[in-house]
Amino acid sequence: MTRAVLLVSLVVLIAACGGEEANEAAAVVQPALAGVDDARLAAAADDGEEWLTHGRTWSEERHSPLTAVDADNVALLQRRWSFDTGTERGLEATPIVVDGVLYTTGTWSVVWALDARTGELLWKYDPAVAKEVGRRACCDVVNRGVAVYGGRVYFGTLDGRLIALDAESGAAVWQVQTTPPGESYTITGAPRVLEGKVIIGNGGAEFGVRGYVSAYDAASGDPLWRTFTVPGDPSKPFESEAMKQAAETWTGSWWELGGGGTVWDSMAYDPELGLLYVGTGNGSPWVRRVRSPGGGDNLHLSSILALDPDDGRIVWHFQTTPGDNWDFTATQHLILADLEIDGVVRKTIMQAPKNGFFYVLDRETGEFISGEAYATVTWATGLDEDGRPIEAAGQDYPEKLALVQPTFFGAHNWQPMSFNPATGLVYIPAQEVLGAYLQDPAYQRSELDFNVATHMNVFAAFPPEVASGHLLAWDPVRQREAWRVPHGLPWNGGTLTTAGNLVFQGTADGRFVAYRADDGRPLWVDHVGTGIIAAPMTYAIDGVQYVSVMAGWGGAFGLVGGTAARGVAVGPGVLVTWALPEAIPTPEQIEAYVTRTGELADGERAYHQWCARCHGAGAVSSSNIPDLRFAGEGLVDIALNGIPDTGMPAFGAELDEEDARLILRYLRKRKEETVR
Ligand code: CA
């Protein structure tokens, strides 16, 4: 859809809604907030100030050109603001920042708009997802974020709705149900918007569903197309030629079991080639001899699909795990980058799916360029010249248990990776987790149960030693590791890389760390106190560069990890934002501050004369001695008379009651200034 058509639609919609006055002059200018259009999205690579779409650009590199924070000064980074989400479960969203506003999502599909400079809440939208839906979600009640376009904020809900909000007010403009009511589809992924279309997928392959991806008109919410990834009942007409051909790779009555192949996370878009890329998920159920008893590749499970965004037609496909048998989704992050390979610049698409192989494909044709194992791989001995895995004997657990690596948690899961064109490296939140698979012969399909057809109590058999994680820097041209930083625990955060030669990543044990992008040297750490699984992002306002991440432990491994997840940091869900300190004041400014007069200044002076050497400068305690910002009226008596046998002296000889009240007033002021 062209911009002109979109604007006409907006005018019609505004008139139809009767909310704002139908004013054509107002409708043909960019909306005051979130006036993102295709031109801005296409130029996003050079616009470091904003973070306009899920992976920053349509190519999803998660690389920022900002350089104000760099490898030389990152050690000075300090917390600028934080926003308490009031939630305690997994936070997986990448915030969007546009026109000074930060939009993000949390558990149960709640959306927040914050002032990106201060963290002040502008509005909150709660779609009121019924909590019963939670049991139909395989991997926590998470949400990975919004899309912003034409003054609207788009997001999916756990119960399968796609909702458009007014970016300024947070009021719903339209909503559509994108999934059949009553079936175990859930949405956790972020929508993407391109050419007036909102693209949204869903999950549910553990619950016996059939995967698809849909496009809706961004202005009206009207459905535009729906592309199934796996074939349905062959006795009914196939939706497309692609589904007819795909059905030849299935056997048995797969459609009665669901099939799987859900599009629950990754997408990317190349406007020059006119191709939309999506990753598809695992088979449903997991065990292929149950799902497709006569064998077959089971297209398009565990595949990268290139679609024509005009009609959703499948242009090419590449299957990473033919006949998936291990929950090896290929929904992991897709990155589009132009790489020089053998002296030729190739338009590539890259993925590190769960199955442990790193793939580089030609994104115009889907041709396999190269692939290598980026983790321990036991289920295959390698890839053939077409990129097809060569399966290892016994790893498909025929009648007896098999220990397999990677596993259902993946050598890399949904946590986004990033690509830095200066270093030529991809930064993967990688992990080594050993899994056990044993077919459950008593399996029966049930919509409210895990439809995997393997014994679920293999989870209980995990010794904690079998799971670890690391930050892996991977050279996609040479297909080899450049460096790695071990984390101990698996299930760490997504990554961000910047032109300041930096990589940022949060960890399961609650640290937020900056590394040099070229050699992996750690440069700075802040202890957030809550396990981080989301990816960080960065933006700039008035020359100040901010780095933000959502910290909230959860997700699939976060919930089911058991003893393998011991030592993670479980704390309140919070969005934390860092920046470099503001300019250091001059000696004249410091002297003017120190010698100023007035009651507050007198209280401050008395506090620093008598209290600060134990209770901390600026009334911030950095030790186990009480932080007096939280003191009540009782402080006056304690200051004058002390507390016997504690080391708190009586200051009755030095201070009178009025002095103590001035100190208390100063402490209250400091609480206001420093505690959110
Ligand atoms: Ca799965």
Side-chain angles (χ1 to χ4, degrees):
M1 184 189 287
T2 65
R3 180 151 177 78
V5 176
L6 174 66
L7 287 171
V8 169
S9 309
L10 280 169
V11 172
V12 170
L13 196 80
I14 287 165
C17 291
E20 295 292 312
E21 245 179 78
N23 179 336
E24 277 200 43
V28 294
V29 297
Q30 285 276 6
L33 284 180
V36 177
D37 57 18
D38 293 304
R40 265 179 104 177
L41 282 163
D46 298 324
D47 176 6
E49 301 216 329
E50 318 272 26
W51 187 288
L52 294 178
T53 184
H54 189 61
R56 212 189 83 76
T57 58
W58 275 330
S59 53
E60 305 258 336
E61 289 152 300
R62 292 178 175 263
H63 169 262
S64 169
L66 293 177
T67 54
V69 177
D70 63 19
D72 292 328
N73 65 20
V74 69
L76 298 173
L77 216 54
Q78 56 183 223
R79 278 187 223 191
R80 184 60 66 91
W81 58 262
S82 60
F83 173 73
D84 181 357
T85 65
T87 66
E88 291 171 341
R89 294 182 65 173
L91 296 177
E92 298 188 353
T94 303
I96 303 284
V97 168
V98 54
D99 302 334
V101 179
L102 183 151
Y103 304 92
T104 194
T105 61
T107 52
W108 301 107
S109 325
V110 168
V111 185
W112 298 281
L114 309 172
D115 184 322
R117 200 188 302 249
T118 64
E120 181 198 351
L121 179 66
L122 302 176
W123 53 256
K124 171 185 174 182
Y125 183 87
D126 183 347
V129 171
K131 298 296 186 282
E132 303 89 88
V133 176
R135 77 169 290 190
R136 295 176 184 261
C138 71
C139 307
D140 205 351
V141 294
V142 292
N143 190 284
R144 290 184 212 92
V146 304
V148 168
Y149 189 82
R152 304 266 175 80
V153 177
Y154 301 92
F155 70 107
T157 63
L158 197 69
D159 55 12
R161 289 172 286 159
L162 177 66
I163 301 182
L165 304 177
D166 180 285
E168 198 147 354
S169 66
V173 180
W174 56 254
Q175 66 166 303
V176 291
Q177 183 70 40
T178 73
T179 56
E183 294 190 28
S184 288
Y185 286 95
T186 50
I187 299 178
T188 56
R192 313 295 200 278
V193 188
L194 49 101
E195 294 170 14
K197 302 177 189 70
V198 191
I199 316 295
I200 188 78
N202 50 58
E206 268 65 55
F207 291 84
V209 305
R210 180 186 177 203
Y212 62 85
V213 58
S214 313
Y216 292 85
D217 185 301
S220 64
D222 290 341
L224 299 176
W225 51 256
R226 171 162 296 179
T227 295
F228 286 95
T229 63
V230 297
D233 182 349
S235 72
K236 296 175 184 164
F238 290 109
E239 291 89 354
S240 64
E241 186 59 29
M243 283 303 98
K244 188 177 170 197
Q245 288 175 16
E248 289 165 17
T249 67
W250 292 73
T251 53
S253 304
W254 71 88
W255 63 93
E256 291 172 359
L257 302 172
T262 48
V263 181
W264 57 264
D265 195 53
S266 62
M267 297 184 207
Y269 175 55
D270 184 331
E272 282 172 21
L273 296 178
L275 291 177
L276 165 69
Y277 306 93
V278 302
T280 72
N282 55 279
S284 185
W286 289 357
V287 182
R288 63 184 170 202
R289 70 179 72 83
V290 175
R291 186 180 70 234
S292 183
D297 283 355
N298 293 182
L299 290 171
H300 301 88
L301 297 180
S302 308
S303 300
I304 299 170
L305 304 180
L307 309 180
D308 180 340
D310 288 338
D311 54 13
R313 182 175 56 92
I314 298 175
V315 177
W316 59 253
H317 71 266
F318 179 86
Q319 191 174 37
T320 61
T321 309
D324 166 50
N325 199 36
W326 303 272
D327 185 21
F328 282 165
T329 71
T331 50
Q332 281 58 46
H333 187 183
L334 297 164
I335 291 181
L336 313 184
D338 295 349
L339 302 178
E340 189 179 324
I341 296 171
D342 297 332
V344 182
V345 176
R346 305 284 301 263
K347 288 177 181 291
T348 73
I349 182 168
M350 300 187 278
Q351 192 186 45
K354 275 188 185 178
N355 76 8
F357 290 101
F358 190 98
Y359 296 86
V360 178
L361 310 180
D362 182 316
R363 71 173 178 270
E364 188 168 6
T365 62
E367 178 202 346
F368 172 74
I369 296 175
S370 64
E372 281 296 334
Y374 66 94
T376 305
V377 173
T378 65
W379 69 278
T381 57
L383 302 177
D384 72 13
E385 61 185 12
D386 298 320
R388 186 184 177 93
I390 304 153
E391 284 193 22
Q395 290 279 287
D396 64 344
Y397 48 99
E399 291 146 24
K400 64 174 193 164
L401 185 140
L403 293 174
V404 181
Q405 208 167 335
T407 176
F408 20 80
F409 295 121
H412 166 222
N413 209 299
W414 61 268
Q415 287 90 334
M417 56 189 197
S418 57
F419 171 68
N420 190 319
T423 64
L425 299 176
V426 178
Y427 304 98
I428 309 170
Q431 55 193 15
E432 297 276 338
V433 186
L434 181 68
Y437 296 82
L438 178 63
Q439 187 177 335
D440 178 2
Y443 164 69
Q444 294 279 327
R445 185 179 186 277
S446 158
E447 237 162 51
L448 283 172
D449 195 3
F450 244 46
N451 285 270
V452 295
T454 60
H455 279 285
M456 294 303 292
N457 59 353
V458 295
F459 285 94
F462 283 168
E465 298 75 25
V466 300
S468 68
H470 54 281
L471 172 59
L472 176 66
W474 187 261
D475 181 335
V477 173
R478 290 170 192 82
Q479 287 283 15
R480 66 182 185 209
E481 176 175 337
W483 50 260
R484 73 169 62 193
V485 177
H487 289 324
L489 291 165
W491 208 249
N492 298 288
T495 70
L496 160 71
T497 186
T498 76
N501 191 21
L502 292 170
V503 180
F504 291 92
Q505 188 191 23
T507 62
D509 56 5
R511 293 172 294 133
F512 188 61
V513 191
Y515 304 92
R516 276 178 66 109
D518 51 6
D519 62 12
R521 186 148 61 92
L523 299 172
W524 167 85
V525 61
D526 193 7
H527 295 266
V528 173
T530 297
I532 297 169
I533 49 178
M537 49 79 69
T538 186
Y539 58 97
I541 300 174
D542 296 338
V544 177
Q545 184 182 351
Y546 301 84
V547 179
S548 276
V549 75
M550 301 203 69
W553 179 252
F557 181 82
L559 296 183
V560 79
T563 54
R566 81 182 166 192
V568 305
V570 179
V574 63
L575 169 58
V576 188
T577 298
W578 293 264
L580 292 173
E582 286 167 277
I584 296 165
T586 64
E588 291 76 17
Q589 287 172 320
I590 295 172
E591 184 176 334
Y593 180 83
V594 169
T595 58
R596 75 199 197 286
T597 56
E599 285 196 350
L600 262 178
D602 290 345
E604 182 183 69
R605 205 169 285 119
Y607 172 85
H608 284 85
Q609 189 78 33
W610 303 110
C611 316
R613 80 190 69 152
C614 292
H615 292 277
V620 177
S621 175
S622 53
S623 72
N624 281 334
I625 290 180
D627 191 309
L628 297 186
R629 288 173 294 172
F630 304 95
E633 283 288 322
L635 177 113
V636 173
D637 179 59
I638 293 170
L640 299 181
N641 300 312
I643 307 175
D645 303 324
T646 62
M648 173 64 205
F651 287 95
E654 293 84 6
L655 302 170
D656 62 19
E657 188 176 331
E658 194 194 338
D659 297 328
R661 291 205 176 277
L662 288 176
I663 290 172
L664 188 59
R665 189 167 158 205
Y666 165 69
L667 293 170
R668 290 195 170 143
K669 172 77 176 156
R670 286 298 287 157
K671 187 176 176 191
E672 264 175 45
E673 287 170 354
T674 57
V675 180
R676 284 179 194 282

